[in-house]
Amino acid sequence: MTGIWGIVNVTPDSFSDGGRYLDVDRAVAHGLRLRDEGATVLDVGGESTRPGAERVGADVEQQRVLPVIERLVAAGAPVSVDTLNASTAEAAVRAGARIVNDVSGGLADAEMRAVVAASGADYAIGHWRGFSDDMYAHAEYRRTAREVAAELKARMGEAAAAGIAPSRLIVDPGIGFAKVGAQNWDVLRGLDEIVALGPRVLIGTSRKRFLADTLAHGDGEVTEQRRDLATAVTSALALRAGVWAVRVHQVAATRDALAVAHAWEG
Ligand code: PMM
């Protein structure tokens, strides 16, 4: 069964649900609703990685995410922490998070791998080439999926060298991270190269710009609803490509799409 990571962004500026869940009570209620809708993991983040986003300090990030994580864990939800900061990862695992979701794959914070190794948490490593303020300057590929797979393999080796067992790793090709337009489709088309790396594969297409661009035909506004429908379709296709879990904002639509895709698989 393909997993569904429900996104709980506790930030005032995230591009798709910015500001709505900054309040702890509302973030917790939102997370629990996503769980009731079928999320298998709640991915809690306190720093936006949207294109051009400014970085926030780890202290601010922790003030945002720790109370939310504590309450979701107390309610029995499996929680992952979406962070680039080792200190936030460490505090989040102490608060009960089981997975550290590091979109930089260990490149953003030199302490991250050691912290994760010692924590016992699972470690999701993303394909990444630089912080959001200039990541598009690095969006150059000849064979996108192949290069992404090769760089993820390097990150896997670094994680192993730091003492993180391969069974604890999850790899993510980082849709939208140092990738523009068609490069994201190249990655999705070449997902078998990512699956062939061995670890569980996570993918995050939810509401991202490349989907909106694909829908931008005619005059109609590309609403959040339309992005969610497009995301549900990518979820179903990701299942068929052998992905282990998808990371989405709108869990219910993806759950239905995955149920249909599972039925198709028989
Ligand atoms: N994308 C975003 C944030 N965190 N984590 C993983 N593992 N994979 C992703 O693709 C990913 C991520 C940016 O999207 P958001 O601001 O809507 O959460």
Side-chain angles (χ1 to χ4, degrees):
M1 197 63 187
T2 309
I4 306 175
W5 286 30
I7 299 171
V8 183
N9 280 331
V10 199
T11 59
D13 62 348
S14 186
F15 73 88
S16 54
D17 54 7
R20 259 185 265 167
Y21 304 111
L22 193 48
D23 178 77
V24 173
D25 289 341
R26 292 170 72 197
V28 170
H30 179 66
L32 294 178
R33 192 173 75 240
L34 295 183
R35 181 186 62 172
D36 292 344
E37 289 175 355
T40 51
V41 169
L42 299 177
D43 189 36
V44 181
E47 178 177 36
S48 174
T49 50
R50 113 191 116 74
E54 304 248 328
R55 300 218 57 201
V56 302
D59 50 342
V60 171
E61 184 189 35
Q62 287 166 34
Q63 281 163 21
R64 291 176 180 175
V65 298
L66 294 178
V68 175
I69 291 172
E70 279 163 12
R71 284 183 44 194
L72 291 175
V73 168
V79 168
S80 119
V81 62
D82 185 349
T83 185
L84 298 170
N85 295 308
S87 62
T88 301
E90 189 168 36
V93 174
R94 223 180 297 122
R98 297 182 195 171
I99 305 173
V100 174
N101 173 23
D102 173 3
V103 299
S104 84
L107 295 179
D109 186 332
E111 307 298 321
M112 183 64 101
R113 295 185 194 101
V115 160
V116 174
S119 75
D122 282 1
Y123 188 34
I125 49 181
H127 175 262
W128 188 87
R129 287 182 171 181
F131 290 100
S132 295
D133 56 355
D134 78 333
M135 64 179 169
Y136 294 137
H138 307 288
E140 273 187 46
Y141 304 85
R142 267 182 306 208
R143 305 189 61 177
T144 316
R146 183 148 304 175
E147 287 170 52
V148 168
E151 288 168 43
L152 278 176
K153 195 165 185 176
R155 302 291 87 75
M156 288 165 56
E158 291 153 5
I164 303 169
S167 61
R168 289 167 56 193
L169 290 181
I170 298 158
V171 291
D172 183 329
I175 295 297
F177 290 92
K179 296 165 201 78
V180 289
Q183 291 167 344
N184 296 293
W185 293 113
D186 293 340
V187 170
L188 295 174
R189 209 173 290 119
L191 268 182
D192 53 331
E193 306 212 33
I194 312 297
V195 172
L197 290 170
R200 296 166 284 177
V201 176
L202 170 69
I203 187 126
T205 61
S206 191
R207 294 182 184 167
K208 285 187 178 168
R209 182 180 296 172
F210 81 109
L211 285 182
D213 290 346
T214 303
L215 300 179
H217 45 76
D219 301 330
E221 187 199 344
V222 182
T223 57
E224 197 169 274
Q225 256 180 328
R226 291 179 67 197
R227 291 187 190 215
D228 284 334
L229 177 61
T231 302
V233 173
T234 62
S235 296
L237 295 169
L239 176 153
R240 301 218 72 196
V243 160
W244 168 74
V246 292
R247 177 183 181 279
V248 299
H249 296 88
Q250 220 275 27
V251 168
T254 272
R255 187 206 50 212
D256 286 347
L258 291 176
V260 171
H262 273 296
W264 183 301
E265 300 254 293

